[in-house]
Amino acid sequence: MADRPPSEIARETLKQLAARRLPPTPDNYLALYDEIAGTRSAQPFPEGPLHHILRIMPGQTPAQKRLLGQFERAVNTKDWSALQSVLVGYANLGLSASAVAPADAAPDGSAAPAGAMPEEFAQTLSRLIDNTLPALGEDDPRVIEMAQQLITFLKDPSPPISTAQLMLGNFAYRLSFATEEQAAIRASLLHLLQMVFENIAVLSVEDRWLLGQAQALMAASTPPLTLRRLDDVERRLKDVIFKQTESKARTVEAQEQMKEMLAAFIERLARITASSTTYQGTMERCAELIGKASTLEEIAPVLQEVMGATRAMALDSRVANEELSDLRERTELKRAEVERLQQELDRASAQARHDPLTGSLNRKGLDEAMEREIARARRLGSPLCVALLDVDNFKTINDRLGHAGGDAALQHLAEVTRSVMRPQDLLARYGGEEFVLVLPDTTVESGVAAMTRLQRELTTRFFLQGTEKVLITFSAGVAQIHDSEDSSDAIRRADQGMYLAKRSGKNRVTAA
């Protein structure tokens, strides 16, 4: 058969494919061609799969880097023998690591197999890798597959250290690319969001409610990001969007009514103009008739027509005046309503869940934050504290500096507090000069220490009113929330602690 020409063998191969009802794939064609020709074709070099393997081979140590370079050269030159030597080199690295690995004791005190990883350490490492996976997303299926294989391997009894070292090296190498890519994606998305929000803000300078939304989103997307911060902004925006949509619809309705009244006004003016034109024509015609009349009998009917037209004109003018007056009053009412709706819209934007003076949470925002933090603390079994602070001698500050100075002092206190607080802590204005701080993952001792630090910070950062330096102090009570109480109970205990601090001489912090 070897003497048959290739074209004849090819025709026979196609006939056999049809006769045997085989799919005309390259593999089936090549197998039948070799069978008919009595030869064996050379197998193609799997360059693509080997390059894929090359990307995940470990290359951290000098020996691994050397073998990795040899691996790449063997793939590029399609040299099977060199590739075999590289794989043997990697295997020897694994064997040498196994040979020198020390024997570890098992958790129960018995001797573990030589080179075996302690079970507790393997389980901890498995949990660490499992907790890493959610942060990677699903963009790289290979790194997820490698992580799952490593987790399964580590859950086996007494996994060999040498194998774990090799698998961990491969996973760490692949993970470095995945984390770099995730960080780049996050930075790019934040940059794009900032560009979108800045563009919205530029385009909405005349639209205050939309400008407020854009500024809130810009602040929310500015690193560092926290889930509490994003959740708070999301809740705030939902409330603002609802109120703005409602107010916007009412504003549009009022504007449409004003348009209708303006159209009616223009129509009435047209009718007045038409009546005036008709009246003027009648007067000119009657004047012409009077000029031609020679007897009183001829003048009498003309005078009656003039009087009738004058009465009709007067009646039309009176009705038009009444209608125009009514339209003017309705227009003024609608204008006032539009202005009121715009003011309501501005208040909705600024005061949804935040105090407009200090920018801290208001009572509504505090209630929602406390409900959320209490649920989280009980779910995780972590401590949660609330501190209630009251500015000392605030009436004296108000009397000396005026209400504007008192407001500025509260703003200064809020700014200093936010600069000292942790990112997860929350500040709310509870009353006139009272504030509440929500302190997650904080015991009562740590809460008292945090309030004391804030007091020290206020002594170094004076409030300036003109050229006058004003020292602001406060008294505070701190309460750790118990499992059986709600937010109002805890705030009530913190309030009692604050009054004890006041009676003890002010500028103090008391645990409740």
Side-chain angles (χ1 to χ4, degrees):
M1 288 198 181
D3 297 334
R4 298 172 62 180
S7 59
E8 183 179 340
I9 297 174
R11 285 195 297 271
E12 182 64 23
T13 301
L14 293 174
K15 291 180 182 179
Q16 288 298 321
L17 280 173
R20 299 183 189 184
R21 298 182 179 179
L22 295 174
T25 62
D27 291 339
N28 289 338
Y29 181 86
L30 183 61
L32 282 177
Y33 188 95
D34 288 346
E35 179 184 333
I36 296 170
T39 60
R40 183 175 179 82
S41 301
Q43 296 295 319
F45 189 83
E47 187 174 358
L50 288 175
H51 272 297
H52 178 73
I53 294 174
L54 176 65
R55 287 195 297 270
I56 63 173
M57 292 295 285
Q60 284 79 29
T61 67
Q64 289 176 345
K65 291 179 180 178
R66 178 177 54 80
L67 289 172
L68 196 62
Q70 295 176 2
F71 193 113
E72 185 175 8
R73 286 193 296 273
V75 173
N76 292 335
T77 58
K78 301 180 181 180
D79 188 343
W80 280 110
S81 60
L83 188 62
Q84 179 179 347
S85 299
V86 172
L87 294 177
V88 171
Y90 269 111
N92 289 334
L93 285 179
L95 290 173
S96 62
S98 176
V100 299
D104 295 295
D108 58 0
S110 60
M117 182 180 293
E119 182 178 354
E120 184 177 352
F121 178 71
Q123 296 300 321
T124 303
L125 192 59
S126 172
R127 287 194 297 271
L128 174 63
I129 297 171
D130 192 26
N131 293 334
T132 304
L133 287 180
L136 298 177
E138 300 179 356
D139 297 335
D140 192 341
R142 178 57 182 157
V143 75
I144 296 175
E145 179 185 353
M146 293 175 69
Q148 291 171 344
Q149 291 174 352
L150 187 54
I151 291 171
T152 303
F153 170 75
L154 292 172
K155 289 182 178 179
D156 291 339
S158 302
I161 291 180
S162 59
T163 308
Q165 182 181 4
L166 182 62
M167 294 180 70
L168 275 171
N170 294 342
F171 175 68
Y173 182 73
R174 186 78 184 200
L175 182 64
S176 64
F177 291 102
T179 52
E180 288 178 7
E181 184 177 7
Q182 288 293 325
I185 290 174
R186 181 186 180 194
S188 298
L189 285 175
L190 284 176
H191 180 64
L192 290 174
L193 282 174
Q194 286 283 345
M195 291 176 62
V196 171
F197 299 151
E198 288 175 4
N199 189 51
I200 293 175
V202 170
L203 296 177
S204 58
V205 174
E206 300 300 327
D207 200 338
R208 286 177 289 177
W209 66 271
L210 184 57
L211 178 62
Q213 276 192 339
Q215 290 173 341
L217 290 171
M218 288 173 65
S221 59
T222 301
L225 300 179
T226 63
L227 289 177
R228 286 185 178 86
R229 182 177 172 192
L230 292 175
D231 182 60
D232 177 59
V233 173
E234 180 185 3
R235 290 170 179 269
R236 179 182 180 185
L237 285 178
K238 283 182 179 179
D239 188 41
V240 170
I241 289 171
F242 173 77
K243 291 185 178 181
Q244 288 170 346
T245 302
E246 182 182 25
S247 298
K248 195 72 174 178
R250 290 159 60 190
T251 301
V252 171
E253 180 184 357
Q255 290 173 345
E256 290 298 324
Q257 292 177 355
M258 288 188 67
K259 290 179 182 179
E260 293 175 2
M261 288 189 293
L262 181 59
F265 177 75
I266 294 173
E267 180 184 359
R268 188 58 190 160
L269 284 178
R271 288 166 53 190
I272 292 174
T273 302
S275 298
S276 299
T277 303
T278 303
Y279 179 74
Q280 184 178 0
T282 301
M283 291 300 100
E284 290 177 354
R285 185 173 54 81
C286 290
E288 184 180 351
L289 291 175
I290 291 173
K292 293 179 180 180
S294 57
T295 64
L296 186 60
E297 287 77 7
E298 293 176 348
I299 295 175
V302 177
L303 291 176
Q304 288 180 354
E305 184 178 356
V306 169
M307 292 175 63
T310 301
R311 282 195 297 270
M313 182 62 184
L315 180 60
D316 287 343
S317 297
R318 185 169 63 252
V319 172
N321 183 64
E322 292 174 354
E323 290 181 352
L324 291 176
S325 298
D326 180 60
L327 281 173
R328 185 170 59 252
E329 292 176 1
R330 290 167 58 192
T331 301
E332 181 61 28
L333 289 174
K334 288 301 176 184
R335 187 198 63 76
E337 183 178 359
V338 169
E339 184 177 350
R340 179 182 60 80
L341 289 173
Q342 184 61 50
Q343 293 173 352
E344 181 180 334
L345 193 60
D346 292 339
R347 286 194 300 273
S349 299
Q351 301 178 0
R353 283 178 172 80
H354 287 70
D355 172 52
L357 176 64
T358 62
S360 57
L361 294 173
N362 58 18
R363 294 290 284 269
K364 180 178 181 181
L366 174 63
D367 291 341
E368 293 182 356
M370 287 291 294
E371 181 180 351
R372 184 171 67 251
E373 292 299 334
I374 288 175
R376 174 185 174 277
R378 289 175 180 169
R379 184 175 67 253
L380 301 179
S382 57
L384 175 65
C385 274
V386 292
L388 190 145
L389 63 88
D390 183 271
V391 179
D392 294 328
N393 306 316
F394 185 71
K395 184 177 183 304
T396 303
I397 296 175
N398 247 346
D399 293 342
R400 187 173 58 173
L401 304 179
H403 289 294
D407 289 346
L410 295 178
Q411 291 172 333
H412 175 77
L413 172 62
E415 290 172 2
V416 175
T417 303
R418 277 191 288 266
S419 69
V420 175
M421 287 165 52
R422 302 170 301 175
Q424 64 266 35
D425 298 334
L426 299 171
L427 175 67
R429 189 178 181 188
Y430 195 66
E433 63 271 17
E434 290 183 332
F435 291 84
V436 168
L437 282 95
V438 184
L439 308 171
D441 304 316
T442 304
T443 61
V444 65
E445 294 82 7
S446 299
V448 170
M451 291 298 98
T452 304
R453 284 195 301 272
L454 177 57
Q455 286 180 329
R456 287 199 298 267
E457 186 68 19
L458 280 170
T459 61
T460 63
R461 296 170 61 173
F462 286 93
F463 166 59
L464 294 176
Q465 181 67 11
T467 58
E468 183 179 0
K469 289 184 178 180
V470 180
L471 175 63
I472 298 177
T473 65
F474 65 81
S475 302
V478 181
Q480 183 172 338
I481 297 180
H482 300 151
D483 292 338
S484 59
E485 66 179 352
D486 56 18
S487 60
S488 59
D489 295 332
I491 292 175
R492 189 179 304 112
R493 288 195 296 114
D495 185 57
Q496 293 171 354
M498 182 270 293
Y499 276 108
L500 287 176
K502 289 276 189 186
R503 287 197 293 268
S504 301
K506 300 182 181 180
N507 195 23
R508 300 174 183 273
V509 180
T510 303

